[in-house]
Amino acid sequence: MTKKKSPAFLLFMMLMSMTAGAMCLNKVSPIMTLIVKELELSGSAQAGLLISVFVISGIFLAIPIGVIMKKTGFYKMGIIALTAIIIGSGIGAMDISYPLLLASRVIEGIGLIILTNVGPAVVTAAYGSSGKLGAAMGLLMCFMTFGQIIMLNLAPRLAAYAGWKSIWWLTFVYAAVFLVLWIISLRHIDRELTSETPQNENIHPKLFPKQVFANWKMWCLGLTFMLYLIAQQGVIAFLPTYLTDVRGVDATLAGSMVSAASFTGIFTAIIVGMISDKIGSRKKPIVVLLLAAAIVYYIFPHFPTKLFILIIILYGLAVMGIVGLCISAASELVAPEHAGMSVAFMNTMQWIGIFFSSTVFGKLIDSTGWSGAFYAMVPISIAAAILTAIIKDLN
């Protein structure tokens, strides 16, 4: 008999493995200016595509992966995911053309797409009956924050020392380490978590269960998630470039400044999750935070450079707790046997949002300027808040 893994250890492994994918997603943004120059790219839109293309596969694969995961199991899917990240990072580290670099980003992205299905499903199974799901999911959803912190601080420094390809080797090694840990430590994860789930969780999975895809409440929440991410990911992807090109901040300092939002977000996500559990509501915190985000986006272009770190921290407070709340809310809007597919649905909306984020924000910069791009995020955030507010049965 093997010792059963604690929920805390499972949360740790999911968080750190998902961080591998988040590091890959966020490694372009802090060194975008350098990549544009070396690859002779045409502008912000083409550079933004290096970020957006990372998640394009998720738009089409998140839901099928949800079904495949129920048949294949968490253990094998995690191995496939981390292997994809290793392969994609390895290809990207070679001396290749821009189109091949885009293809390597897609391969890396497939790894993260799989992990964002596996991770929340594992944590939901481990914490679902404990009354601590909000806090646990809030911490799990810090995976993107951890990836941002690591890359915003390390990527500019590492690129200056060893070239920007060295960052691809870093993600290669990180993913390889956690692949080994996954293989060794999570061999019995499916057997252990099956005993924690209700018997009806084992029914034959459907690709598009009507309880999820014909549920207007899920669509409102999913659209909230998508709109929130268009604004949030668009802003954070281009903020280091904005500070460097518009405000005249050194590239290394700009990355560190933007990472302050991510540092703030770690505590924000956990505390917001705890508050949500305490008051028994996901809706109220989501709406309040989205409206706060709209205010921050409007203020960005007007904030003095010397004090810009303050608005970055406020940005972190406003936006970094929303992901965990949305994922928790989605799993609670359906019966337990459909929780996995509700997460897959939300992941699809997530990847649509992230795909459009950098592309849309980059095009807005080229067409309306930086201020216009920030202002455009205001109505997007307000619309997201309204969509959640109208879900009557969401606590």
Side-chain angles (χ1 to χ4, degrees):
M1 292 291 290
T2 57
K3 185 178 179 181
K4 188 175 182 180
K5 301 298 184 298
S6 69
F9 178 77
L10 294 177
L11 176 57
F12 168 79
M13 283 299 299
M14 298 306 112
L15 175 58
M16 292 298 99
S17 298
M18 291 166 69
T19 298
M23 288 168 63
C24 290
L25 173 59
N26 289 284
K27 62 189 175 187
V28 171
S29 176
I31 55 169
M32 189 181 294
T33 301
L34 183 62
I35 295 175
V36 167
K37 288 180 180 178
E38 185 165 327
L39 296 181
E40 299 179 347
L41 304 184
S42 60
S44 297
Q46 194 175 24
L49 187 59
L50 276 173
I51 301 172
S52 296
V53 75
F54 186 93
V55 300
I56 192 169
S57 59
I59 299 172
F60 308 102
L61 295 180
I63 293 169
I65 286 171
V67 175
I68 294 169
M69 181 178 67
K70 289 181 74 69
K71 295 181 178 180
T72 306
F74 302 132
Y75 181 67
K76 291 180 180 178
M77 293 300 289
I79 292 174
I80 294 170
L82 289 166
T83 301
I85 292 173
I86 292 168
I87 293 171
S89 293
I91 294 173
M94 302 298 172
D95 186 16
I96 56 176
S97 64
Y98 175 72
L100 283 177
L101 183 59
L102 287 176
S104 75
R105 298 285 290 162
V106 173
I107 296 171
E108 290 176 319
I110 290 172
L112 180 58
I113 273 79
I114 296 173
L115 287 170
T116 52
N117 276 270
V118 173
V122 168
V123 170
T124 297
Y127 283 90
S129 60
S130 67
K132 299 178 181 179
L133 178 60
M137 196 66 74
L139 178 56
L140 179 68
M141 290 303 126
C142 286
F143 80 94
M144 193 66 76
T145 303
F146 286 141
Q148 290 165 352
I149 290 172
I150 294 168
M151 285 299 142
L152 286 168
N153 287 282
L154 187 58
R157 293 170 172 83
L158 191 57
Y161 177 75
W164 64 270
K165 292 289 186 181
S166 62
I167 302 163
W168 268 248
W169 285 119
L170 173 65
T171 55
F172 177 95
V173 172
Y174 182 98
V177 168
F178 275 92
L179 174 60
V180 172
L181 290 175
W182 188 290
I183 292 171
I184 294 172
S185 65
L186 299 182
R187 192 167 302 165
H188 305 290
I189 183 175
D190 295 290
R191 185 192 312 161
E192 293 174 6
L193 292 180
T194 298
S195 65
E196 299 292 330
T197 57
Q199 288 301 310
N200 58 1
E201 184 76 90
N202 297 316
I203 61 173
H204 182 71
K206 296 180 179 179
L207 187 58
F208 296 103
K210 64 179 182 180
Q211 293 84 352
V212 175
F213 292 91
N215 186 338
W216 71 270
K217 300 166 194 172
M218 283 294 303
W219 279 100
C220 284
L221 189 62
L223 289 171
T224 292
F225 202 34
M226 181 192 75
L227 292 173
Y228 150 73
L229 285 163
I230 287 175
Q232 188 265 332
Q233 286 290 308
V235 168
I236 203 165
F238 281 92
L239 201 50
T241 305
Y242 172 72
L243 288 172
T244 302
D245 294 353
V246 179
R247 299 299 184 109
V249 178
D250 174 75
T252 302
L253 177 59
S256 296
M257 287 176 65
V258 175
S259 73
S262 301
F263 276 112
T264 304
I266 295 173
F267 302 100
T268 300
I270 297 170
I271 292 171
V272 166
M274 293 173 65
I275 292 173
S276 175
D277 288 337
K278 185 73 173 178
I279 66 176
S281 174
R282 312 295 183 204
K283 179 196 291 189
K284 292 177 183 177
I286 290 173
V287 172
V288 170
L289 290 173
L290 284 169
L291 294 177
I295 295 171
V296 170
Y297 294 140
Y298 181 81
I299 295 173
F300 260 131
H302 307 286
F303 217 78
T305 302
K306 291 183 178 179
L307 300 175
F308 211 83
I309 188 68
L310 296 179
I311 194 65
I312 290 174
I313 291 172
L314 290 175
Y315 165 75
L317 290 172
V319 304
M320 295 298 183
I322 295 174
V323 176
L325 293 173
C326 286
I327 297 294
S328 297
S331 64
E332 293 166 349
L333 277 176
V334 297
E337 62 265 26
H338 299 297
M341 286 308 298
S342 73
V343 171
F345 170 79
M346 292 297 285
N347 279 332
T348 302
M349 303 305 287
Q350 174 177 230
W351 302 129
I352 293 173
I354 295 177
F355 174 76
F356 281 114
S357 63
S358 299
T359 304
V360 168
F361 204 87
K363 286 186 177 297
L364 284 169
I365 294 168
D366 291 339
S367 60
T368 67
W370 284 97
S371 294
F374 283 120
Y375 294 151
M377 302 302 105
V378 176
I380 290 175
S381 298
I382 293 174
I386 292 172
L387 282 166
T388 294
I390 64 175
I391 306 176
K392 294 181 180 179
D393 294 336
L394 179 62
N395 292 326

